Coordinates of all heavy atoms in Angstrom, one line a residue:
M1419 N 15.6 -23.1 16.7 CA 14.5 -22.2 16.6 C 13.8 -22.3 15.2 O 12.6 -22.2 15.1 CB 15.0 -20.7 16.8 CG 14.0 -19.7 16.7 SD 14.4 -18.1 17.2 CE 14.3 -18.3 19.0
D1420 N 14.5 -22.7 14.2 CA 13.9 -22.9 12.9 C 13.0 -24.0 12.9 O 12.0 -24.1 12.1 CB 15.0 -23.1 11.8 CG 15.7 -21.8 11.5 OD1 15.2 -20.7 11.8 OD2 16.9 -21.9 11.1
D1421 N 13.2 -25.1 13.8 CA 12.3 -26.2 13.9 C 11.0 -25.8 14.6 O 10.0 -26.5 14.3 CB 13.0 -27.4 14.6 CG 14.2 -27.9 13.8 OD1 14.2 -27.7 12.6 OD2 15.2 -28.4 14.5
Y1422 N 11.1 -24.9 15.5 CA 9.9 -24.5 16.2 C 8.9 -23.8 15.4 O 7.7 -24.0 15.5 CB 10.3 -23.7 17.4 CG 9.1 -23.3 18.3 CD1 8.5 -24.2 19.1 CD2 8.7 -22.0 18.3 CE1 7.4 -23.9 19.9 CE2 7.6 -21.6 19.1 CZ 7.0 -22.6 19.9 OH 5.9 -22.2 20.7
Y1423 N 9.3 -22.8 14.5 CA 8.4 -22.1 13.7 C 8.2 -22.6 12.4 O 9.1 -23.1 11.8 CB 8.9 -20.6 13.6 CG 8.9 -19.9 15.0 CD1 10.1 -19.7 15.7 CD2 7.7 -19.5 15.5 CE1 10.1 -19.1 16.9 CE2 7.7 -18.9 16.8 CZ 8.9 -18.7 17.4 OH 8.9 -18.1 18.7
P1424 N 7.0 -22.6 11.8 CA 6.8 -23.2 10.5 C 7.4 -22.4 9.4 O 7.7 -21.2 9.6 CB 5.2 -23.2 10.4 CG 4.8 -22.1 11.3 CD 5.8 -22.1 12.4
N1425 N 7.8 -23.1 8.3 CA 8.4 -22.5 7.2 C 7.3 -21.8 6.4 O 6.7 -22.5 5.5 CB 9.2 -23.5 6.4 CG 10.0 -22.8 5.3 OD1 10.2 -21.6 5.3 ND2 10.5 -23.6 4.4
L1426 N 7.0 -20.5 6.6 CA 5.9 -19.9 6.0 C 6.4 -19.0 4.9 O 7.5 -18.5 4.9 CB 5.1 -19.0 7.0 CG 4.6 -19.7 8.2 CD1 4.1 -18.8 9.2 CD2 3.5 -20.7 7.8
S1427 N 5.5 -18.7 3.9 CA 5.8 -17.8 2.8 C 5.8 -16.4 3.3 O 4.8 -15.9 3.8 CB 4.8 -18.0 1.6 OG 4.9 -16.9 0.8
P1428 N 6.9 -15.6 3.1 CA 6.9 -14.2 3.5 C 6.0 -13.4 2.7 O 5.4 -12.5 3.2 CB 8.4 -13.8 3.3 CG 9.0 -14.8 2.4 CD 8.2 -16.1 2.6
I1429 N 5.7 -13.8 1.4 CA 4.8 -13.0 0.6 C 3.4 -13.2 1.1 O 2.6 -12.3 1.3 CB 4.9 -13.5 -0.9 CG1 6.3 -13.1 -1.4 CG2 3.7 -12.9 -1.7 CD1 6.5 -13.6 -2.8
R1430 N 3.0 -14.5 1.5 CA 1.6 -14.7 2.0 C 1.5 -14.0 3.4 O 0.4 -13.4 3.6 CB 1.4 -16.2 2.2 CG 0.1 -16.5 2.8 CD -0.1 -18.0 2.9 NE -0.2 -18.6 1.6 CZ -0.2 -19.9 1.4 NH1 0.0 -20.7 2.4 NH2 -0.3 -20.4 0.2
N1431 N 2.5 -14.1 4.2 CA 2.4 -13.4 5.5 C 2.3 -11.9 5.3 O 1.6 -11.2 6.0 CB 3.5 -13.7 6.4 CG 3.5 -15.2 6.9 OD1 2.4 -15.8 6.9 ND2 4.6 -15.6 7.5
G1432 N 3.1 -11.4 4.4 CA 3.0 -9.9 4.2 C 1.7 -9.4 3.6 O 1.2 -8.4 4.1
L1433 N 1.1 -10.2 2.7 CA -0.2 -9.8 2.2 C -1.3 -10.0 3.2 O -2.3 -9.2 3.1 CB -0.5 -10.7 0.9 CG 0.4 -10.4 -0.3 CD1 0.0 -11.4 -1.4 CD2 0.1 -9.0 -0.8
A1434 N -1.0 -10.9 4.1 CA -2.1 -11.1 5.2 C -1.8 -10.1 6.4 O -2.5 -10.2 7.4 CB -2.1 -12.5 5.7
C1435 N -0.7 -9.3 6.4 CA -0.3 -8.4 7.4 C -0.1 -9.2 8.7 O -0.5 -8.8 9.8 CB -1.3 -7.4 7.6 SG -1.6 -6.3 6.2
K1436 N 0.6 -10.4 8.6 CA 0.9 -11.2 9.8 C 2.4 -11.2 10.0 O 3.2 -10.8 9.2 CB 0.4 -12.6 9.5 CG -1.1 -12.8 9.3 CD -1.8 -12.5 10.6 CE -3.3 -12.7 10.4 NZ -4.0 -12.5 11.6
C1437 N 2.8 -11.6 11.2 CA 4.2 -11.7 11.6 C 5.0 -12.6 10.6 O 4.6 -13.6 10.2 CB 4.3 -12.4 12.9 SG 5.9 -12.8 13.5
P1438 N 6.2 -12.1 10.1 CA 7.0 -12.8 9.2 C 7.6 -14.1 9.8 O 7.9 -15.0 8.9 CB 8.1 -11.9 8.8 CG 8.2 -10.9 9.9 CD 6.8 -10.8 10.5
R1439 N 7.7 -14.3 11.0 CA 8.3 -15.5 11.6 C 7.2 -16.6 11.9 O 7.3 -17.7 11.5 CB 9.1 -15.2 12.9 CG 9.7 -16.4 13.4 CD 10.8 -16.2 14.4 NE 10.3 -15.5 15.6 CZ 11.0 -15.1 16.6 NH1 12.4 -15.3 16.6 NH2 10.5 -14.6 17.7
C1440 N 6.1 -16.2 12.7 CA 5.2 -17.2 13.1 C 3.9 -17.2 12.3 O 3.2 -18.2 12.2 CB 4.8 -17.0 14.6 SG 3.9 -15.5 14.9
G1441 N 3.6 -16.1 11.5 CA 2.4 -16.0 10.8 C 1.1 -15.9 11.6 O 0.0 -16.0 11.1
G1442 N 1.3 -15.7 12.9 CA 0.1 -15.6 13.7 C -0.2 -14.3 14.2 O -1.4 -13.9 14.3
G1443 N 0.8 -13.5 14.6 CA 0.5 -12.2 15.2 C 0.3 -11.2 14.1 O 0.8 -11.3 13.0
K1444 N -0.4 -10.1 14.5 CA -0.7 -9.0 13.5 C 0.7 -8.2 13.4 O 1.4 -7.9 14.3 CB -1.8 -8.1 14.0 CG -3.1 -8.8 14.0 CD -4.2 -7.9 14.6 CE -5.5 -8.6 14.6 NZ -6.6 -7.7 15.2
L1445 N 0.9 -7.7 12.1 CA 2.1 -6.9 11.9 C 1.9 -5.4 12.2 O 2.8 -4.7 12.6 CB 2.4 -7.0 10.4 CG 3.7 -6.5 9.9 CD1 4.9 -7.1 10.6 CD2 3.9 -6.7 8.4
F1446 N 0.6 -5.0 12.1 CA 0.3 -3.5 12.3 C -0.6 -3.3 13.5 O -1.5 -4.1 13.8 CB -0.4 -2.9 11.1 CG 0.4 -3.0 9.8 CD1 0.3 -3.9 8.8 CD2 1.4 -2.0 9.6 CE1 1.0 -4.0 7.7 CE2 2.2 -2.0 8.4 CZ 2.0 -3.0 7.5
S1447 N -0.3 -2.2 14.2 CA -1.2 -1.8 15.3 C -2.2 -0.8 14.9 O -3.2 -0.5 15.6 CB -0.4 -1.4 16.5 OG 0.3 -0.2 16.1
G1448 N -1.9 -0.1 13.7 CA -2.8 0.9 13.2 C -2.9 0.6 11.7 O -2.7 -0.5 11.2
Y1449 N -3.3 1.7 11.0 CA -3.4 1.6 9.5 C -2.0 1.3 8.9 O -1.9 0.4 8.0 CB -4.0 2.9 9.0 CG -4.3 2.8 7.5 CD1 -5.2 1.9 7.0 CD2 -3.6 3.6 6.6 CE1 -5.4 1.8 5.6 CE2 -3.9 3.6 5.2 CZ -4.8 2.7 4.8 OH -5.0 2.6 3.4
L1450 N -1.0 2.1 9.3 CA 0.4 1.9 8.7 C 1.4 1.8 9.8 O 2.6 2.0 9.6 CB 0.7 3.0 7.8 CG 0.0 2.9 6.4 CD1 0.4 4.2 5.6 CD2 0.4 1.7 5.6
T1451 N 1.0 1.7 11.1 CA 1.9 1.6 12.2 C 2.3 0.2 12.5 O 1.4 -0.6 12.8 CB 1.2 2.2 13.5 OG1 0.8 3.6 13.1 CG2 2.2 2.3 14.6
V1452 N 3.6 -0.1 12.4 CA 4.1 -1.5 12.7 C 4.2 -1.6 14.1 O 4.7 -0.8 14.9 CB 5.5 -1.7 12.0 CG1 6.1 -3.0 12.3 CG2 5.3 -1.5 10.5
R1453 N 3.8 -2.8 14.7 CA 3.9 -3.1 16.1 C 5.4 -3.2 16.5 O 6.2 -3.6 15.6 CB 3.2 -4.5 16.4 CG 1.8 -4.5 16.3 CD 1.3 -5.9 16.6 NE -0.2 -5.9 16.5 CZ -1.0 -5.6 17.5 NH1 -0.4 -5.3 18.7 NH2 -2.2 -5.6 17.4
E1454 N 5.7 -3.0 17.7 CA 7.1 -3.1 18.2 C 7.5 -4.6 18.3 O 8.6 -4.9 18.0 CB 7.2 -2.4 19.5 CG 7.1 -0.9 19.4 CD 7.5 -0.2 20.7 OE1 8.1 -0.9 21.6 OE2 7.4 1.0 20.7
T1455 N 6.6 -5.5 18.8 CA 6.9 -6.9 18.9 C 5.6 -7.7 18.4 O 4.5 -7.2 18.5 CB 7.2 -7.3 20.3 OG1 6.2 -7.0 21.2 CG2 8.5 -6.6 20.8
C1456 N 5.9 -8.9 18.0 CA 4.8 -9.8 17.6 C 4.1 -10.2 18.9 O 4.7 -10.6 19.9 CB 5.3 -11.0 16.9 SG 4.0 -12.2 16.5
E1457 N 2.8 -10.2 18.9 CA 2.0 -10.6 20.1 C 2.0 -12.1 20.3 O 1.6 -12.6 21.4 CB 0.6 -10.1 20.0 CG -0.1 -10.7 18.7 CD -1.4 -9.9 18.4 OE1 -1.7 -9.0 19.1 OE2 -2.1 -10.4 17.5
V1458 N 2.4 -12.9 19.4 CA 2.4 -14.4 19.5 C 3.8 -14.9 19.8 O 4.0 -15.6 20.8 CB 1.8 -15.0 18.2 CG1 2.0 -16.6 18.3 CG2 0.4 -14.6 18.0
C1459 N 4.8 -14.5 19.0 CA 6.1 -15.1 19.2 C 7.1 -14.1 19.8 O 8.3 -14.5 20.2 CB 6.7 -15.6 17.9 SG 7.1 -14.4 16.6
G1460 N 6.8 -12.9 19.9 CA 7.7 -11.9 20.5 C 8.8 -11.4 19.6 O 9.7 -10.7 20.0
L1461 N 8.7 -11.6 18.3 CA 9.7 -11.1 17.3 C 9.7 -9.6 17.4 O 8.7 -8.9 17.3 CB 9.4 -11.6 15.9 CG 10.3 -11.1 14.8 CD1 11.7 -11.7 15.0 CD2 9.7 -11.5 13.5
D1462 N 10.9 -9.1 17.4 CA 11.0 -7.6 17.4 C 10.8 -7.1 15.9 O 11.5 -7.4 15.0 CB 12.5 -7.2 17.8 CG 12.7 -5.7 17.9 OD1 11.7 -5.0 17.7 OD2 13.8 -5.3 18.1
L1463 N 9.7 -6.3 15.8 CA 9.3 -5.9 14.4 C 9.7 -4.5 14.2 O 9.3 -4.0 13.1 CB 7.7 -6.0 14.4 CG 7.2 -7.4 14.5 CD1 5.7 -7.4 14.6 CD2 7.6 -8.3 13.3
R1464 N 10.4 -3.8 15.0 CA 10.8 -2.4 14.8 C 11.6 -2.2 13.6 O 11.6 -1.2 12.9 CB 11.5 -1.8 16.0 CG 10.5 -1.6 17.2 CD 11.2 -1.2 18.4 NE 12.0 -2.3 18.9 CZ 12.7 -2.3 20.0 NH1 12.7 -1.3 20.8 NH2 13.3 -3.4 20.4
G1465 N 12.4 -3.3 13.2 CA 13.2 -3.2 12.0 C 12.4 -3.3 10.7 O 13.0 -3.1 9.6
H1466 N 11.2 -3.7 10.8 CA 10.3 -3.9 9.6 C 9.5 -2.7 9.2 O 8.7 -2.7 8.3 CB 9.4 -5.1 9.8 CG 10.1 -6.4 10.0 ND1 10.4 -7.2 8.9 CD2 10.4 -7.0 11.1 CE1 11.0 -8.2 9.4 NE2 11.0 -8.2 10.8
D1467 N 9.8 -1.5 9.9 CA 9.1 -0.3 9.6 C 9.5 0.2 8.3 O 10.7 0.4 8.0 CB 9.3 0.7 10.7 CG 8.5 2.0 10.5 OD1 7.6 2.0 9.6 OD2 8.6 2.9 11.3
S1468 N 8.6 0.3 7.3 CA 8.9 0.7 5.9 C 8.9 2.2 5.7 O 9.2 2.7 4.6 CB 7.9 0.0 5.0 OG 6.7 0.4 5.3
G1469 N 8.7 3.0 6.7 CA 8.6 4.4 6.6 C 7.6 4.9 5.6 O 6.5 4.5 5.7
D1470 N 8.1 5.7 4.6 CA 7.1 6.3 3.6 C 7.1 5.4 2.4 O 6.4 5.8 1.4 CB 7.6 7.6 3.2 CG 7.5 8.6 4.3 OD1 6.6 8.4 5.2 OD2 8.2 9.6 4.3
G1471 N 7.6 4.2 2.4 CA 7.6 3.3 1.2 C 6.3 3.0 0.7 O 6.0 3.2 -0.5
P1472 N 5.3 2.6 1.5 CA 4.0 2.2 0.9 C 3.3 3.5 0.4 O 2.6 3.3 -0.7 CB 3.2 1.8 2.2 CG 4.2 1.3 3.1 CD 5.4 2.2 2.9
A1473 N 3.5 4.6 0.9 CA 2.8 5.8 0.4 C 3.4 6.2 -1.0 O 2.6 6.5 -2.0 CB 3.0 7.0 1.3
V1474 N 4.7 6.1 -1.2 CA 5.3 6.3 -2.5 C 4.9 5.3 -3.5 O 4.6 5.6 -4.6 CB 6.9 6.3 -2.3 CG1 7.5 6.4 -3.6 CG2 7.3 7.5 -1.5
F1475 N 4.8 4.0 -3.1 CA 4.3 3.0 -3.9 C 2.9 3.2 -4.5 O 2.6 3.1 -5.7 CB 4.4 1.6 -3.2 CG 4.1 0.4 -4.0 CD1 5.0 0.0 -5.0 CD2 3.0 -0.4 -3.8 CE1 4.9 -1.1 -5.7 CE2 2.8 -1.5 -4.6 CZ 3.7 -1.9 -5.5
I1476 N 2.0 3.7 -3.6 CA 0.6 4.0 -4.0 C 0.6 5.2 -4.9 O -0.2 5.3 -5.9 CB -0.2 4.3 -2.7 CG1 -0.4 3.0 -1.9 CG2 -1.6 4.8 -3.1 CD1 -1.0 1.8 -2.6
I1477 N 1.5 6.2 -4.6 CA 1.5 7.4 -5.4 C 1.9 7.0 -6.9 O 1.3 7.5 -7.9 CB 2.5 8.4 -4.9 CG1 1.8 9.1 -3.6 CG2 2.8 9.5 -5.9 CD1 2.8 9.9 -2.8
F1478 N 2.9 6.1 -7.0 CA 3.3 5.7 -8.4 C 2.2 4.9 -9.1 O 2.0 5.1 -10.3 CB 4.6 4.8 -8.3 CG 5.8 5.6 -8.1 CD1 6.8 5.1 -7.3 CD2 6.0 6.8 -8.7 CE1 8.0 5.8 -7.1 CE2 7.2 7.5 -8.5 CZ 8.2 7.0 -7.7
I1479 N 1.5 4.1 -8.4 CA 0.4 3.3 -9.0 C -0.7 4.2 -9.5 O -1.1 4.2 -10.6 CB -0.1 2.2 -8.1 CG1 0.9 1.1 -7.9 CG2 -1.4 1.6 -8.6 CD1 0.6 0.1 -6.8
L1480 N -1.1 5.2 -8.6 CA -2.1 6.1 -9.0 C -1.7 7.0 -10.1 O -2.5 7.3 -11.0 CB -2.5 7.0 -7.8 CG -3.3 6.3 -6.7 CD1 -3.5 7.2 -5.5 CD2 -4.6 5.8 -7.2
G1481 N -0.4 7.4 -10.1 CA 0.1 8.2 -11.3 C 0.0 7.5 -12.6 O -0.4 8.0 -13.6
F1482 N 0.4 6.2 -12.6 CA 0.3 5.4 -13.8 C -1.1 5.2 -14.3 O -1.4 5.0 -15.4 CB 1.0 4.0 -13.6 CG 2.5 4.1 -13.7 CD1 3.2 3.7 -12.6 CD2 3.1 4.5 -14.9 CE1 4.6 3.8 -12.7 CE2 4.5 4.6 -14.9 CZ 5.2 4.2 -13.8
L1483 N -2.1 5.2 -13.3 CA -3.5 5.0 -13.7 C -4.1 6.4 -14.1 O -4.9 6.4 -15.1 CB -4.3 4.4 -12.5 CG -4.0 3.0 -12.2 CD1 -4.7 2.6 -10.9 CD2 -4.4 2.1 -13.3
V1484 N -4.0 7.4 -13.3 CA -4.7 8.7 -13.5 C -4.1 9.5 -14.6 O -4.9 10.1 -15.4 CB -4.8 9.4 -12.2 CG1 -5.4 10.8 -12.4 CG2 -5.5 8.6 -11.1
V1485 N -2.9 9.6 -14.7 CA -2.3 10.5 -15.8 C -2.7 10.1 -17.2 O -3.1 11.0 -17.9 CB -0.7 10.6 -15.6 CG1 -0.1 11.3 -16.8 CG2 -0.4 11.3 -14.3
P1486 N -2.6 8.8 -17.6 CA -3.1 8.5 -18.9 C -4.6 8.8 -19.1 O -5.0 9.2 -20.2 CB -2.8 6.9 -19.0 CG -1.7 6.7 -18.1 CD -2.0 7.6 -16.9
M1487 N -5.4 8.5 -18.1 CA -6.8 8.9 -18.2 C -7.0 10.4 -18.4 O -7.8 10.7 -19.2 CB -7.6 8.4 -16.9 CG -7.7 6.9 -16.8 SD -8.9 6.3 -15.6 CE -8.2 6.9 -14.1
A1488 N -6.3 11.1 -17.6 CA -6.4 12.6 -17.7 C -6.0 13.1 -19.1 O -6.6 13.9 -19.7 CB -5.6 13.3 -16.6
L1489 N -4.9 12.5 -19.6 CA -4.4 12.9 -21.0 C -5.4 12.5 -22.0 O -5.7 13.2 -23.0 CB -3.1 12.2 -21.2 CG -1.9 12.8 -20.5 CD1 -0.6 12.0 -20.7 CD2 -1.6 14.2 -20.9
W1490 N -6.0 11.3 -21.9 CA -7.0 10.8 -22.8 C -8.2 11.8 -22.8 O -8.7 12.1 -23.9 CB -7.5 9.4 -22.5 CG -8.5 8.9 -23.4 CD1 -8.3 8.5 -24.7 CD2 -9.9 8.9 -23.2 NE1 -9.5 8.1 -25.3 CE2 -10.5 8.4 -24.4 CE3 -10.7 9.2 -22.1 CZ2 -11.9 8.2 -24.5 CZ3 -12.1 9.1 -22.2 CH2 -12.7 8.6 -23.4
V1491 N -8.7 12.1 -21.7 CA -9.8 13.1 -21.5 C -9.5 14.4 -22.2 O -10.3 15.0 -22.9 CB -10.3 13.2 -20.1 CG1 -11.3 14.4 -19.9 CG2 -10.9 11.9 -19.5
E1492 N -8.3 14.9 -21.9 CA -7.9 16.2 -22.5 C -7.8 16.1 -24.0 O -8.3 17.0 -24.7 CB -6.5 16.6 -21.9 CG -5.9 17.8 -22.5 CD -6.8 19.1 -22.3 OE1 -7.5 19.1 -21.3 OE2 -6.7 20.0 -23.1
M1493 N -7.2 15.0 -24.5 CA -7.1 14.9 -26.0 C -8.4 14.6 -26.7 O -8.6 15.1 -27.8 CB -6.1 13.8 -26.3 CG -4.7 13.9 -25.8 SD -3.9 15.4 -26.4 CE -3.1 14.6 -27.8
T1494 N -9.3 14.0 -26.0 CA -10.6 13.6 -26.6 C -11.7 14.8 -26.5 O -12.3 15.1 -27.5 CB -11.2 12.3 -26.0 OG1 -10.2 11.3 -26.1 CG2 -12.5 11.9 -26.7
Y1495 N -11.8 15.3 -25.3 CA -12.9 16.3 -25.0 C -12.4 17.7 -24.9 O -13.2 18.6 -25.0 CB -13.7 15.8 -23.8 CG -14.3 14.5 -23.9 CD1 -13.7 13.4 -23.2 CD2 -15.3 14.2 -24.8 CE1 -14.3 12.1 -23.3 CE2 -15.9 12.9 -25.0 CZ -15.3 11.9 -24.2 OH -15.8 10.6 -24.3
M1496 N -11.1 17.9 -24.6 CA -10.6 19.2 -24.4 C -11.4 20.1 -23.4 O -11.9 21.2 -23.7 CB -10.4 20.0 -25.7 CG -9.4 19.4 -26.6 SD -9.2 20.4 -28.0 CE -8.0 19.5 -28.9
P1497 N -11.6 19.6 -22.2 CA -12.4 20.3 -21.2 C -11.6 21.5 -20.6 O -10.3 21.4 -20.7 CB -12.8 19.3 -20.1 CG -11.6 18.3 -20.2 CD -11.2 18.3 -21.6
P1498 N -12.2 22.5 -20.0 CA -11.5 23.5 -19.3 C -10.6 23.0 -18.2 O -10.9 21.9 -17.6 CB -12.5 24.5 -18.9 CG -13.8 23.8 -18.8 CD -13.6 22.6 -19.9
L1499 N -9.6 23.7 -17.7 CA -8.7 23.1 -16.7 C -9.5 23.0 -15.3 O -9.1 22.1 -14.6 CB -7.5 24.1 -16.5 CG -6.5 24.0 -17.6 CD1 -5.4 25.0 -17.4 CD2 -5.9 22.6 -17.8
W1500 N -10.4 23.9 -15.0 CA -11.1 23.7 -13.8 C -11.9 22.5 -13.7 O -12.1 21.9 -12.6 CB -12.1 24.9 -13.6 CG -13.2 25.0 -14.5 CD1 -13.3 25.8 -15.7 CD2 -14.5 24.3 -14.5 NE1 -14.4 25.5 -16.3 CE2 -15.2 24.7 -15.6 CE3 -15.1 23.5 -13.5 CZ2 -16.5 24.2 -15.9 CZ3 -16.3 23.0 -13.8 CH2 -17.0 23.3 -14.9
L1501 N -12.4 21.9 -14.9 CA -13.0 20.6 -14.9 C -12.1 19.5 -14.5 O -12.4 18.5 -13.8 CB -13.7 20.4 -16.2 CG -14.7 19.2 -16.3 CD1 -15.8 19.4 -15.2 CD2 -15.2 19.0 -17.6
H1502 N -10.8 19.6 -15.0 CA -9.8 18.5 -14.6 C -9.6 18.6 -13.1 O -9.6 17.5 -12.5 CB -8.5 18.9 -15.4 CG -8.4 18.4 -16.7 ND1 -8.4 17.1 -17.1 CD2 -8.4 19.1 -17.9 CE1 -8.3 17.0 -18.4 NE2 -8.3 18.2 -18.9
A1503 N -9.5 19.8 -12.5 CA -9.3 19.9 -11.1 C -10.5 19.3 -10.3 O -10.3 18.6 -9.3 CB -9.1 21.3 -10.7
V1504 N -11.7 19.6 -10.8 CA -12.8 19.1 -10.1 C -13.0 17.5 -10.3 O -13.3 16.9 -9.3 CB -14.1 19.8 -10.7 CG1 -15.4 19.1 -10.1 CG2 -14.1 21.2 -10.3
V1505 N -12.6 17.0 -11.4 CA -12.8 15.6 -11.7 C -11.7 14.7 -11.0 O -12.0 13.8 -10.4 CB -13.0 15.3 -13.2 CG1 -12.9 13.8 -13.4 CG2 -14.2 15.9 -13.7
W1506 N -10.5 15.1 -11.3 CA -9.4 14.2 -11.0 C -9.0 14.2 -9.5 O -8.5 13.2 -9.0 CB -8.2 14.5 -11.8 CG -8.5 14.3 -13.3 CD1 -8.5 15.2 -14.3 CD2 -8.9 13.0 -13.9 NE1 -8.9 14.7 -15.5 CE2 -9.1 13.3 -15.3 CE3 -9.1 11.8 -13.4 CZ2 -9.5 12.3 -16.1 CZ3 -9.5 10.8 -14.3 CH2 -9.7 11.1 -15.7
G1507 N -9.3 15.3 -8.8 CA -9.0 15.3 -7.3 C -9.8 14.2 -6.6 O -9.3 13.4 -5.9
P1508 N -11.2 14.2 -6.8 CA -11.9 13.1 -6.1 C -11.6 11.7 -6.7 O -11.6 10.7 -5.9 CB -13.4 13.5 -6.5 CG -13.4 14.9 -6.7 CD -12.0 15.2 -7.3
V1509 N -11.3 11.6 -8.0 CA -10.9 10.3 -8.5 C -9.6 9.8 -7.8 O -9.6 8.6 -7.3 CB -10.6 10.3 -10.0 CG1 -10.0 9.1 -10.5 CG2 -12.0 10.6 -10.8
I1510 N -8.6 10.6 -7.6 CA -7.4 10.2 -6.9 C -7.6 9.9 -5.5 O -7.2 8.8 -5.0 CB -6.4 11.3 -7.1 CG1 -5.9 11.5 -8.5 CG2 -5.1 11.1 -6.1 CD1 -5.0 12.7 -8.7
I1511 N -8.4 10.7 -4.8 CA -8.8 10.4 -3.4 C -9.5 9.1 -3.3 O -9.3 8.2 -2.4 CB -9.5 11.5 -2.8 CG1 -8.5 12.7 -2.7 CG2 -10.0 11.2 -1.4 CD1 -9.2 14.0 -2.2
G1512 N -10.5 8.9 -4.2 CA -11.3 7.6 -4.2 C -10.5 6.4 -4.5 O -10.7 5.3 -3.9
L1513 N -9.5 6.5 -5.4 CA -8.7 5.3 -5.7 C -7.7 5.1 -4.6 O -7.3 3.9 -4.2 CB -7.9 5.5 -7.0 CG -8.7 5.5 -8.3 CD1 -7.9 5.8 -9.5 CD2 -9.4 4.1 -8.4
Ligands
ZN947 ZN1 5.2 -13.8 15.4

């Protein structure tokens, strides 16, 4: 079976959202919904469901970006708290 499927980079396939075995089929059927099987090679993909992992990863990245910016704005301009709520909510959703 290893001779039949090409030796593909799992990182490249993951970034392209393709099947980890054949690199041809799509990994997701929705925005974050993993397909049950690969449409090309039939690989069972149910074990690749990451659950809430991607959401937590995004939350950490946004936290590292937004919190220093909010602290810098607070230390530099000292705006009222309502302005922080108005500004940073849309910034977080936009990012
Ligand atoms: Zn496949």
